[in-house]
Amino acid sequence: MNTKESKYFQKLGTKIKQLREEKEIDQKSFAFDCEIGRTQLYMIEKGRTNPRLLTLIKIADGLDMSISELLKS
């Protein structure tokens, strides 16, 4: 990943973590509900990975929002 991509993934991860915490859902439970691995969720929230579209759709569904709302700056 280049620096610009890395910053985008960090920003997205921070947003996902913030939204999850606002709903008072712990990481393990949220990952289970979204049918993704807890380690995968951790890596996404830390901005250390490029999540697949299907994974982002599952996360958006888990947060009760559309994928476009999740990706909006």
Side-chain angles (χ1 to χ4, degrees):
M1 271 188 280
N2 66 35
T3 305
K4 186 176 181 181
E5 291 169 344
S6 180
K7 287 181 181 179
Y8 178 79
F9 291 128
Q10 287 175 350
K11 185 177 177 182
L12 176 61
T14 299
K15 181 176 182 179
I16 291 168
K17 182 177 181 178
Q18 177 186 352
L19 291 167
R20 175 182 60 77
E21 288 177 343
E22 285 175 5
K23 292 184 174 287
E24 298 180 359
I25 306 170
D26 67 272
Q27 197 176 59
K28 184 178 179 181
S29 298
F30 186 70
F32 181 80
D33 291 345
C34 293
E35 299 178 348
I36 62 175
R38 193 198 64 75
T39 303
Q40 183 181 16
L41 179 60
Y42 170 82
M43 296 293 283
I44 292 168
E45 288 185 350
K46 291 293 183 184
R48 295 184 183 162
T49 187
N50 179 355
R52 297 176 58 179
L53 178 59
L54 181 58
T55 302
L56 291 174
I57 291 169
K58 289 177 178 182
I59 290 171
D61 285 345
L63 295 169
D64 296 319
M65 61 176 39
S66 69
I67 186 89
S68 61
E69 289 174 302
L70 180 62
L71 297 176
K72 195 181 296 183
S73 294

